[in-house]
Amino acid sequence: MFKLLGATLVIAASTLLGFQIARNYQNRPLQLRLLQRGLKMLETEIVYGSVPLYQAMNKIGARLPGGVGLFFSSAGENLITLDGASTFECWRASIEQNFFQTALKKEDKDLLLQFGHTLGITDKEDQMKHIQLTVEGLATEEQIAREEQSKYEKLSKNLGVLLGILVVILMY
Amino acid sequence: MNKEILAILPISIRQIMQKLNEIVQKDMEEIRIREKRPLEIVYNNQHLFISEAGKLTTNDQEAYIPTKEDTYKILNLISNHSIYRLEEELKRGYITIQGGHRIGIVGKAIMENGMVKSLKDISSFNIRIAKQKIGIAKPILPFLLVDGNIIQNTLIISPPMCGKTTLLRDIARELSRGNPQLGKSGKKVGIVDERSEIAGCVEGVPQNDVGPRTDILDACPKAEGMMMMIRSMSPDVLIVDEIGRQEDTLAITEARNSGVSVIATAHGLNIEEVMKRPTISSLIQQEIFTRFILLSRKKGVGTIEGIFDGQLRQIYFKEKSYV
């Protein structure tokens, strides 16, 4: 009886793990797409709206869901509350703080941090260039993420279940 | 010290400023921050360095040296982390902040088609602390009005730093407000504020009190602005700072022809010196200006040397600072 219960638990756990990994594969391209949308919105706010950075960040944060939205909204908050901190510091703190809530990888984070170095501190033309450059970088990552998704999403789901079964068989 | 000024200083400099003697904090005229060179203030007409402990000194070796980090942060704070919004300001070389204070900036110019497009590597700031002197124009006002109501075209003549813009601002305010107790209604005042110095507008809203019936055309070239004002806002009196160009003369003549009075300022030690400038002397000879106020620093900022009428006869004499 206990054996059966244990076996069920093992299979359930490893299946869940597999699904979790699969979900990361599924979410990363979506979040990368969202980030690109956010940056394009930022471009519009900066270049055409001439809106102060914190306002633009708050606005975009409110319109994007999940962790990606938090990147923007908490950066907006940092810009006001972190007295005397540089723009990059405010952006970096927000990325670090909310990164765990996303399915993004280190290379995506590096792109975002790189972008933070020029955020807000140059003229409009320059801002536009840096935003476009970052959007391009994110688009490339998105492409890669989609390929990985098609390769590994199903695989990790199946693997989760199978691994559970394997462990159970070995234990018996 | 003024909170608007503190808000744009990085913490390192802010702490030093707060260590200063309170009177110095209050009466400071300028703060000069230059990257990798001593921190300096102008106080009581003296240029003094400040040490890290907040001591005033004339020895530059003791002074606090602002770092690159400091200047970078000032720019961040002035612009609210949005330097891209300051394109116009960087082209002109100064920024007006909340409270009407002005910050002059220099760095490396970026050129485009032979014109300055923007500044980068900004390394020097001159923070000029705005001081409103409310009510200083009151004793002068009766001399600018004929029959108690018609505003005379007036030219304020003064060397730099003698308070002519401060006086001009207060005249605008007094005229705009009027004096209900004496049964004098306010006038419609139009300010063409080419250098954002009179009203100190931030996003179109004047930071200085310029009166309830005052319209401001901010950052607009004077000559063109005066014409726009006359056409669009039908003012009773136009206020402009530092006239001198050929176009200004035309615009002032035009204003007189449309029945709008003009109160303007010009650089100069005295009327004779101003008369040597062809553009202004033609206005004086045509008797377009009927009042002249001469300022100096003899008894402190804002000493009124005299008020003269259109024939250059003195109608007011009391060598006294308005402050």
Side-chain angles (χ1 to χ4, degrees):
Chain A
M1 181 60 204
F2 278 117
K3 252 185 177 174
L4 198 64
L5 190 70
T8 325
L9 275 176
V10 168
I11 293 177
S14 85
T15 308
L16 267 177
L17 188 72
F19 271 71
Q20 182 61 46
I21 294 171
R23 210 168 63 202
N24 274 350
Y25 278 116
Q26 194 190 351
N27 280 345
R28 185 166 164 239
L30 297 178
Q31 291 178 349
L32 283 168
R33 174 57 65 84
L34 270 183
L35 265 177
Q36 292 171 55
R37 226 179 86 200
L39 288 179
K40 280 182 189 154
M41 281 152 85
L42 187 65
E43 182 183 341
T44 315
E45 296 289 339
I46 288 179
V47 178
Y48 303 103
S50 235
V51 172
L53 195 57
Y54 75 92
Q55 271 179 23
M57 288 284 183
N58 287 339
K59 208 163 150 185
I60 297 166
R63 283 172 61 183
L64 297 182
V68 174
L70 283 177
F71 282 162
F72 291 94
S73 51
S74 64
E77 204 178 303
N78 286 349
L79 288 173
I80 299 181
T81 49
L82 295 186
D83 196 10
S86 67
T87 321
F88 173 68
E89 274 307 311
C90 299
W91 177 248
R92 196 185 60 85
S94 160
I95 301 282
E96 298 285 358
Q97 190 190 332
N98 298 304
F99 197 68
F100 76 97
Q101 304 205 36
T102 65
L104 298 174
K105 285 189 171 173
K106 191 175 169 295
E107 40 276 38
D108 312 331
K109 187 177 176 179
D110 289 345
L111 269 175
L112 290 175
L113 291 182
Q114 182 63 35
F115 166 67
H117 280 294
T118 51
L119 178 62
I121 59 168
T122 53
D123 59 18
K124 282 180 184 164
E125 215 173 303
D126 210 57
Q127 290 289 303
M128 195 158 85
K129 275 183 202 148
H130 284 290
I131 291 176
Q132 280 166 1
L133 201 69
T134 314
V135 169
E136 269 168 41
L138 291 171
T140 314
E141 287 300 325
E142 190 196 334
Q143 194 60 42
I144 298 170
R146 285 207 188 280
E147 279 163 27
E148 284 181 353
Q149 183 193 4
S150 64
K151 267 193 225 161
Y152 302 124
E153 189 191 352
K154 254 203 174 126
L155 186 72
S156 32
K157 273 184 198 167
N158 293 338
L159 220 58
V161 183
L162 290 176
L163 200 74
I165 295 172
L166 181 71
V167 171
V168 170
I169 291 172
L170 286 178
M171 277 180 2
Y172 265 101
Chain B
M1 191 170 175
N2 224 307
K3 64 175 188 301
E4 293 116 349
I5 301 276
L6 285 178
I8 56 133
L9 295 175
I11 289 165
S12 50
I13 297 179
R14 198 182 298 178
Q15 281 168 346
I16 295 174
M17 288 297 164
Q18 281 171 326
K19 282 180 203 153
L20 287 174
N21 180 323
E22 255 174 51
I23 301 167
V24 180
Q25 283 194 37
K26 201 170 131 276
D27 290 343
M28 207 184 299
E29 290 157 35
E30 282 179 10
I31 305 171
R32 314 203 64 128
I33 298 162
R34 304 175 177 98
E35 190 176 314
K36 302 205 174 74
R37 276 151 294 163
L39 178 64
E40 188 190 40
I41 61 162
V42 179
Y43 162 68
N44 222 347
N45 229 352
Q46 305 170 69
H47 294 252
L48 294 161
F49 299 119
I50 308 178
S51 76
E52 201 157 355
K55 201 179 110 223
L56 295 175
T57 167
T58 47
N59 179 0
D60 62 332
Q61 300 299 319
E62 293 173 26
Y64 175 77
I65 310 286
T67 60
K68 191 167 187 62
E69 179 102 2
D70 286 333
T71 51
Y72 173 71
K73 281 193 174 154
I74 294 172
L75 204 57
N76 255 321
L77 291 166
I78 293 173
S79 66
N80 243 324
H81 299 279
S82 321
I83 293 169
Y84 54 85
R85 300 184 69 216
L86 299 181
E87 266 164 31
E88 264 316 299
E89 284 87 344
L90 288 179
K91 209 185 286 178
R92 291 184 305 192
Y94 59 82
I95 300 166
T96 307
I97 58 163
Q98 299 274 333
H101 313 288
R102 287 203 347 158
I103 302 171
I105 37 181
V106 286
K108 186 175 177 204
I110 305 171
M111 306 296 285
E112 193 177 76
N113 304 328
M115 304 265 279
V116 176
K117 184 186 157 221
S118 184
L119 291 175
K120 64 169 189 178
D121 302 334
I122 289 159
S123 60
S124 282
F125 299 86
N126 173 18
I127 304 173
R128 296 176 64 185
I129 299 163
K131 291 207 179 66
Q132 294 193 71
K133 305 276 184 202
I134 293 182
I136 53 174
K138 268 196 182 128
I140 300 169
L141 226 49
F143 297 96
L144 307 185
L145 298 167
V146 168
D147 300 333
N149 210 21
I150 303 157
I151 305 165
Q152 299 294 295
N153 289 332
T154 305
L155 186 65
I156 302 173
I157 300 166
S158 138
M161 302 283 290
C162 290
K164 63 179 168 320
T165 306
T166 315
L167 181 62
L168 187 67
R169 182 185 305 131
D170 205 57
I171 291 175
R173 174 173 39 225
E174 292 295 335
L175 286 174
S176 173
R177 180 157 295 136
N179 195 337
Q181 276 124 25
L182 296 178
K184 283 191 187 137
S185 61
K187 307 269 182 199
K188 287 177 284 178
V189 178
I191 298 180
V192 182
D193 203 359
E194 181 166 359
R195 305 197 300 167
S196 305
E197 250 181 332
I198 308 173
C201 285
V202 174
E203 290 173 24
V205 181
Q207 301 291 307
N208 293 316
D209 179 5
V210 284
R213 294 182 188 85
T214 303
D215 304 301
I216 302 133
L217 192 54
D218 190 32
C220 180
K222 282 179 289 273
E224 207 184 330
M226 281 191 264
M227 305 305 289
M228 280 170 74
M229 259 307 179
I230 295 169
R231 280 196 300 263
S232 57
M233 304 311 281
S234 72
D236 297 320
V237 54
L238 270 174
I239 305 271
V240 284
D241 212 356
E242 288 177 25
I243 56 162
R245 282 198 303 249
Q246 190 67 46
E247 310 91 91
D248 303 343
T249 318
L250 289 174
I252 289 170
T253 317
E254 189 62 37
R256 195 184 73 153
N257 292 343
S258 14
V260 179
S261 310
V262 177
I263 298 180
T265 67
H267 266 302
L269 274 175
N270 47 45
I271 298 180
E272 291 74 51
E273 198 188 298
V274 173
M275 284 290 269
K276 285 188 194 137
R277 293 163 68 179
T279 48
I280 300 182
S281 80
S282 81
L283 285 174
I284 298 175
Q285 274 154 13
Q286 290 175 57
E287 289 187 23
I288 285 181
F289 283 115
T290 45
R291 289 291 180 272
F292 298 90
I293 303 174
L294 199 57
L295 293 179
S296 79
R297 261 192 116 114
K298 251 185 220 163
K299 301 257 167 81
V301 176
T303 306
I304 294 165
E305 294 261 315
I307 300 179
F308 305 85
D309 68 5
Q311 280 81 45
L312 305 183
R313 284 180 305 231
Q314 192 146 2
I315 52 174
Y316 174 87
F317 179 78
K318 195 165 153 203
E319 217 171 65
K320 187 182 144 205
S321 167
Y322 62 60
V323 183

